[in-house]
């Protein structure tokens, strides 16, 4: 950061109680107050006669208090009547203090700001903003900014603190004049002053317009700071040292020869990208993404073999024991015939088994270790760790990934995303990584037909399942929870298994859920793969990694409770064989607006990248990113979808600024990303 003599980065001066409240708003430095921008604006520039004040919008009226009473029906409330020369208006306060009663005594003159609505006893305002005034007191000349705040920190206090910094702090521009001119951006100091102190000519609608030049400047600066920090993180990692991994290809050739399918062109392309990176002396940090069923696991396996051929160990980490176990079973089936020992490490292992696995990993007997977060515990030591593969990387925080990397100095790192990442996220929050995209599905994948069916038609769905089984196909029936929940009222997998066993007496119905022992789960899944079980009732443990080509029907109960990524993953478990496949999304009415939006997206789209894009719009980047946000500054002003043009401009400028204007780039980062050192370590 810049040296402390820079007044902009000095701590805010205020009483201790105020500092605590400011801290909750993320305000520590004086400059943070400058960047604490208004949430909205109140218009106290125009006074309406009571009789002419419109309904349904904030209006300012003034009048003399002519009556006041406390009513007790239907609840205790303060009711006040004011009058101007055109009419009367009721002010109603459900919650009030004695001080408000004094302020609203008969004969007092007040201004009230709020929305007028039709009440039972005439027009009224509920909980208006009040100010006692003298008759003829002048109105405000411009709109009043309203800031995000916390209890105990009033708008006038916050406004005075912000305006004090605007008046005393120097606000030099961190963008070179040539850049600002080329991009047609407003000067920084003009932008923040306009938003904090809007001129009289500006309306609230104009100031709320995201295309306002002042907002465009602030959003561009924020996006540029993010791009600069990502570039620096990328550069720092590239300067590190990592083992040069160049295998001779014999293990990869042996596995490829044993596979019952050929790699797609996209899989071959990303394998070249990965192995080329690992052959360099600096750490690979690559994100592998692709749609459901695009074949990321085999790419991970072949990447692991490249490291093993060169004499290095590989660690594969998954966020849940179920997913990690599925990887372990699949990778063991592929690699152990080649003479490669695969170790399994999870939190549920017994002490003796865990000790044996730890010994095999430490002495190098196990060339590949698969597990959960148990892989980065202190007692896990690798002989020669060369590659770390992290599946469903969005569910791990920066600290967890760093802990695993620390097991082997600076190993190469390959992160896999279970579902596609929208382009705007890849350009912003993942800009510190190289990205490989498997943009081609293996041949033979049949399109899945999606149906939305009300739970009231459950019997029809059971009949549909029976007919599919009669034709030799198999079905999944997915329930979200194992145990009864009074709040969610979801049917459990256990109860559903019993019910379907009664409804389908001629079919063998199996059950798999996360609380079964690993051996029990493996036996059920193996029986389903052999078609000894026709209907598999499951929780979302089958979300990722299950591949049974003969299963052509997926029934998902309470689909309205699930996220888009999860629904898309579950739907991806079918459509892997030659038969026409169907995914039935059962829902319980009435649906919330959010549930309607999600189900509409999954019903209308099969492309995972488009689903991810719309999911980002619905959820926002914070929730979409999951744990990754713990190491990445989130955006306050910019919208990735709506501000794509600004994002592309910032992305193009960042490397040029670091090269040609390094001092300005450093000043820009200091201004926007206080404490970014923590992030750069990621």
């Amino acid at each position: 950061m810049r040296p402390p003599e820079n007044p902009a980065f000095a701590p805010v001066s205020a009483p201790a109680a105020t500092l605590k409240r400011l801290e909750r708003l993320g305000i520590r430095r004086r400059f943070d107050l400058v960047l604490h921008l208004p949430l909205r604006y109140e218009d106290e520039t125009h006074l309406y006669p009571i009789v002419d004040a419109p309904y349904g919008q904030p209006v300012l009226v003034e009048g003399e208090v002519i009556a006041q009473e406390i009513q007790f029906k239907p609840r205790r409330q303060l009711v006040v009547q004011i009058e101007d020369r055109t009419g009367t208006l009721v002010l109603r306060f459900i919650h009030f203090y004695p001080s408000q009663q004094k302020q609203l005594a008969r004969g007092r003159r007040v201004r009230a700001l709020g929305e007028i609505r039709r009440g039972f006893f005439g027009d009224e305002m509920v909980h208006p903003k009040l100010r006692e005034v003298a008759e003829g007191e002048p109105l405000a000349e411009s709109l009043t900014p309203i800031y995000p705040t916390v209890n105990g920190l009033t708008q006038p206090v916050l406004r005075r603190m912000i305006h004090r910094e605007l008046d005393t702090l120097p606000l030099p521009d961190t963008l070179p004049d040539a850049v600002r001119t080329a991009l047609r951006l407003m000067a920084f100091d003009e932008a923040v002053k306009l938003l904090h102190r809007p001129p009289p000519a500006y309306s609230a609608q104009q100031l709320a317009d995201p295309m306002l030049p002042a907002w465009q400047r602030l959003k561009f600066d924020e996006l540029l700071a993010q791009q600069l920090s990502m570039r620096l993180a990328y550069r720092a990692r590239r300067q590190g040292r990592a083992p040069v991994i160049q295998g001779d290809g014999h293990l990869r050739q042996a596995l490829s020869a044993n596979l019952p399918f050929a790699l797609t062109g996209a899989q071959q392309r990303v394998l070249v990208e990965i192995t080329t990176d690992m052959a360099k002396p600096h750490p690979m940090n690559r994100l592998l993404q692709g749609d459901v069923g695009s074949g990321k696991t085999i790419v991970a396996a072949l990447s692991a073999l490249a490291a093993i051929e060169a004499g290095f160990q590989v660690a594969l980490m998954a966020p849940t024991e179920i997913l990690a176990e599925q990887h372990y079973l699949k990778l063991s089936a592929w690699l152990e015939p080649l003479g490669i020992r695969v170790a399994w490490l999870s939190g549920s292992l017994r002490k003796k088994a865990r000790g044996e696995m730890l010994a095999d990993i430490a002495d190098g007997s196990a060339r590949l270790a698969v597990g959960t977060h148990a892989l980065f515990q202190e007692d896990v030591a690798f002989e020669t760790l060369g590659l770390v593969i992290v599946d469903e990387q969005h569910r791990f925080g920066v600290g967890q990934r760093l802990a695993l990397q620390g097991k082997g100095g600076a190993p190469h790192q390959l992160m896999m995303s279970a579902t596609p990442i929208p382009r705007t996220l890849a350009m912003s929050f993942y800009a510190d990584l190289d990205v490989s995209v498997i943009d081609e599905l293996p041949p033979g994948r049949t399109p899945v037909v999606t149906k939305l069916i009300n739970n009231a038609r459950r019997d029809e769905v059971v009949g549909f399942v029976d007919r599919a089984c009669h034709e030799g196909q198999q079905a999944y029936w997915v329930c979200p929870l194992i145990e009864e929940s009074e709040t969610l009222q979801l049917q459990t997998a256990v109860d559903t298994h019993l019910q379907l066993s009664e409804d389908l007496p001629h079919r063998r119905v199996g059950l798999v859920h996360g609380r079964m022992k690993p051996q029990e789960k493996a036996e059920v899944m193996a029986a389903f793969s052999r078609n000894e079980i026709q209907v598999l009732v499951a929780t979302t443990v089958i979300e990722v990694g299950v591949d049974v080509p003969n299963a052509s029907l997926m029934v998902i109960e309470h689909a309205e409770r699930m996220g888009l990524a999860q629904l898309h993953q579950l739907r991806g478990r079918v459509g892997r064989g030659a038969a026409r496949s169907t995914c039935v999304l059962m829902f319980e009415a009435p649906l919330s607006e959010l549930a309607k939006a999600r189900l509409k997206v999954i019903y209308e789209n099969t492309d995972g990248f488009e689903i991810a894009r719309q999911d980002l719009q619905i959820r926002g980047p914070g929730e979409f990113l999951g744990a990754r946000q713990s190491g990445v500054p989130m955006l306050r002003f910019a919208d990735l979808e709506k501000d794509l043009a600004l994002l592309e401009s910032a992305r193009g400028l960042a490397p040029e600024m670091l090269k040609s204007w390094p001092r300005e780039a450093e000043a820009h980062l200091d201004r926007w990303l206080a404490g970014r050192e923590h992030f750069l370590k990621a």
Side-chain angles (χ1 to χ4, degrees):
M1 286 185 62
R2 279 188 175 277
E5 61 265 18
N6 187 329
F9 307 132
V12 173
S13 176
T18 301
L19 290 177
K20 285 184 179 179
R21 294 182 180 112
L22 290 171
E23 177 83 20
R24 289 168 59 192
L25 292 169
I27 297 172
R28 302 172 188 85
R29 312 171 304 166
R30 294 176 65 189
F31 193 79
D32 295 336
L33 284 164
V34 174
L35 291 181
H36 193 67
L37 298 178
L39 191 64
R40 57 186 173 85
Y41 298 87
E42 287 181 347
D43 187 354
E44 297 183 57
T45 66
H46 178 71
L47 195 63
Y48 284 90
I50 288 175
V51 74
D52 295 332
Y55 297 103
Q57 68 183 59
V59 294
L60 182 68
V61 297
E62 180 181 319
E64 182 180 321
V65 178
I66 59 173
Q68 181 201 104
E69 67 171 327
I70 296 176
Q71 296 180 355
F72 292 92
K73 291 184 179 180
R75 66 174 80 175
R76 186 174 182 269
Q77 54 190 301
L78 176 65
V79 178
V80 175
Q81 193 173 31
I82 64 171
E83 178 184 58
D84 69 3
R85 68 182 191 286
T86 68
T88 62
L89 179 69
V90 170
L91 309 180
R92 189 179 300 277
F93 300 87
I94 311 299
H95 308 286
F96 61 94
Y97 297 98
S99 60
Q100 287 175 296
Q101 285 183 263
K102 292 180 182 179
Q103 184 185 20
L104 292 166
R106 285 177 63 113
R108 296 284 180 91
R109 177 168 291 276
V110 294
R111 282 184 185 157
L113 178 67
E115 289 191 15
I116 295 180
R117 69 181 192 183
R118 292 181 175 89
F120 193 74
F121 298 104
D123 290 349
E124 65 178 22
M125 272 187 188
V126 179
H127 281 287
K129 176 184 173 184
L130 285 177
R131 188 162 68 90
E132 189 175 354
V133 295
E135 189 168 3
E137 185 170 316
L139 294 164
E141 294 183 359
S142 60
L143 298 178
T144 305
I146 302 299
Y147 295 96
T149 190
V150 294
N151 285 338
L153 186 59
T154 65
Q155 289 293 327
V157 169
L158 192 51
R159 201 175 295 126
R160 282 196 299 271
M161 295 183 75
I162 291 170
H163 287 190
R164 183 183 65 201
E165 302 303 352
L166 288 174
D167 292 335
T168 58
L169 276 181
L171 300 174
D173 214 303
T174 54
L175 291 185
D177 290 341
V179 170
R180 203 159 48 80
T181 302
L183 295 176
R184 299 181 181 178
L185 291 170
M186 193 175 191
F188 177 80
D189 62 338
E190 292 177 15
V192 291
K193 286 177 180 177
L194 187 148
L195 293 171
H196 285 299
R197 291 172 170 162
Y202 282 81
S203 68
Q205 289 77 13
Q206 286 175 299
L207 291 166
D209 183 357
M211 298 306 293
L212 186 75
W215 280 120
Q216 291 283 293
R217 173 60 201 262
L218 271 293
K219 290 192 285 189
F220 179 82
D221 277 19
E222 181 179 48
L223 290 167
L224 177 61
Q226 186 196 55
Q227 291 294 315
L228 288 169
S229 66
M230 291 290 191
R231 282 278 170 183
L232 288 173
Y234 184 84
R235 181 192 287 178
R237 287 170 179 156
R238 302 283 284 190
Q239 290 172 349
R241 304 298 295 175
V244 174
I245 294 178
Q246 289 179 302
D248 59 12
H250 74 281
L251 291 173
R252 282 169 284 172
Q253 290 170 8
L255 176 58
S256 298
N258 291 339
L259 294 174
F261 55 85
L263 297 185
T264 64
Q267 287 172 316
Q268 294 175 33
R269 184 188 70 247
V270 301
L271 267 171
V272 170
E273 293 170 353
I274 293 166
T275 53
T276 300
D277 263 10
M278 292 196 298
K280 295 175 181 175
H282 49 72
M284 172 181 73
N285 279 276
R286 185 167 287 276
L287 174 67
L288 173 63
Q289 64 159 321
D291 208 345
V292 176
S294 60
K296 296 182 285 289
T297 306
I298 186 60
V299 170
L302 290 165
S303 302
L305 286 179
I308 294 169
E309 288 168 355
F312 292 95
Q313 289 173 292
V314 179
L316 190 153
M317 181 169 66
T320 66
E321 187 161 325
I322 293 163
L323 181 54
E325 183 186 359
Q326 289 170 359
H327 279 310
Y328 169 70
L329 294 173
K330 181 168 278 191
L331 291 169
S332 296
W334 282 341
L335 304 191
E336 290 190 345
L338 306 179
I340 297 168
R341 170 94 167 89
V342 181
W344 160 248
L345 202 59
S346 76
S348 65
L349 276 183
R350 300 198 175 205
K351 187 174 181 180
K352 182 180 178 183
R354 177 180 171 81
E356 292 172 356
M357 291 293 180
L358 290 175
D360 287 348
I361 294 169
D363 67 16
S365 303
R367 307 311 295 165
L368 171 63
V370 179
T372 58
H373 59 279
L375 280 174
F376 56 76
Q377 291 177 353
E378 286 186 14
D379 58 348
V380 182
F382 288 81
E383 184 194 37
T384 52
L385 182 61
L387 172 65
V388 172
I389 302 172
V390 182
D391 195 16
E392 292 204 64
Q393 50 75 37
H394 62 285
R395 293 174 57 181
F396 289 102
V398 170
Q400 290 174 312
R401 293 202 305 273
L402 289 177
L404 185 52
Q405 280 182 286
K407 297 294 180 183
H412 298 282
Q413 188 172 166
L414 177 65
M415 287 159 281
M416 299 197 296
S417 174
T419 49
I421 293 168
R423 175 170 169 256
T424 51
L425 277 189
M427 289 170 60
S428 53
F429 290 96
Y430 292 91
D432 58 322
L433 305 176
D434 293 304
V435 180
S436 291
V437 182
I438 304 177
D439 52 8
E440 177 185 359
L441 290 176
R445 294 298 302 262
T446 55
V448 179
V449 176
T450 303
K451 296 179 181 290
L452 286 172
I453 297 181
N454 193 305
N455 193 51
R457 298 168 58 193
R458 182 186 180 89
D459 290 346
E460 294 178 40
V461 178
V462 173
F464 190 35
V465 171
D466 192 35
R467 288 193 298 276
C469 294
H470 180 72
E471 294 169 2
Q473 299 302 309
Q474 293 167 271
Y476 298 100
W477 191 295
V478 177
C479 307
L481 292 183
I482 302 172
E483 295 178 346
E484 287 290 343
S485 165
E486 292 180 1
T487 54
L488 297 181
Q489 293 296 309
L490 299 180
Q491 290 174 276
T492 67
V494 174
D495 287 347
T496 302
H497 174 251
L498 292 173
Q499 185 63 51
L500 286 176
S501 297
E502 292 179 13
D503 294 341
L504 301 168
H506 304 297
R507 313 294 172 204
R508 188 173 175 201
V509 182
L511 172 65
V512 63
H513 57 72
R515 297 197 179 178
M516 295 169 66
K517 293 179 180 178
Q519 187 60 34
E520 291 175 330
K521 287 200 295 275
E523 289 172 1
V524 172
M525 293 307 302
F528 187 61
S529 298
R530 295 191 299 266
N531 201 4
E532 294 170 5
I533 291 174
Q534 286 77 52
V535 181
L536 181 62
V537 177
T539 56
T540 53
V541 298
I542 62 159
E543 179 183 338
V544 179
V546 177
D547 188 2
V548 181
N550 193 54
S552 62
L553 178 58
M554 168 68 70
V555 179
I556 304 174
E557 285 200 70
H558 292 284
E560 78 277 6
R561 301 280 187 180
M562 297 189 190
L564 277 171
Q566 194 173 46
L567 289 172
H568 186 55
Q569 280 288 342
L570 288 168
R571 183 170 61 181
R573 298 309 103 205
V574 295
R576 294 169 176 256
R580 183 173 182 268
S581 295
T582 304
C583 178
V584 176
L585 304 177
M586 297 176 66
F587 63 89
E588 192 75 50
L591 292 173
S592 67
E593 290 303 313
L594 179 60
K596 284 180 186 175
R598 281 200 298 253
L599 292 179
K600 184 175 186 290
V601 170
I602 199 73
Y603 177 73
E604 294 179 349
N605 297 279
T606 56
D607 180 0
F609 287 91
E610 176 59 22
I611 290 169
R613 188 187 70 80
Q614 296 200 39
D615 194 17
L616 173 63
Q617 287 184 315
I618 292 171
R619 290 197 287 166
E623 192 180 339
F624 193 101
L625 287 163
R628 182 169 172 80
Q629 67 179 290
S630 66
V632 183
M634 300 303 290
L635 298 173
R636 293 162 58 192
F637 310 123
D639 182 301
L640 291 178
E641 287 294 319
K642 295 175 183 175
D643 298 316
L644 179 58
L646 290 176
L647 173 59
E648 289 176 334
S649 295
R651 191 171 186 237
L653 176 61
E656 179 62 24
M657 200 161 171
L658 287 170
K659 178 182 177 183
S660 303
W661 297 286
R663 186 173 298 175
E664 287 86 348
E666 178 69 14
H668 194 85
L669 276 170
D670 281 336
R671 174 172 285 181
W672 281 91
L673 297 180
R676 75 186 188 286
E677 299 87 351
H678 167 71
F679 165 64
L680 292 180
K681 291 176 185 175

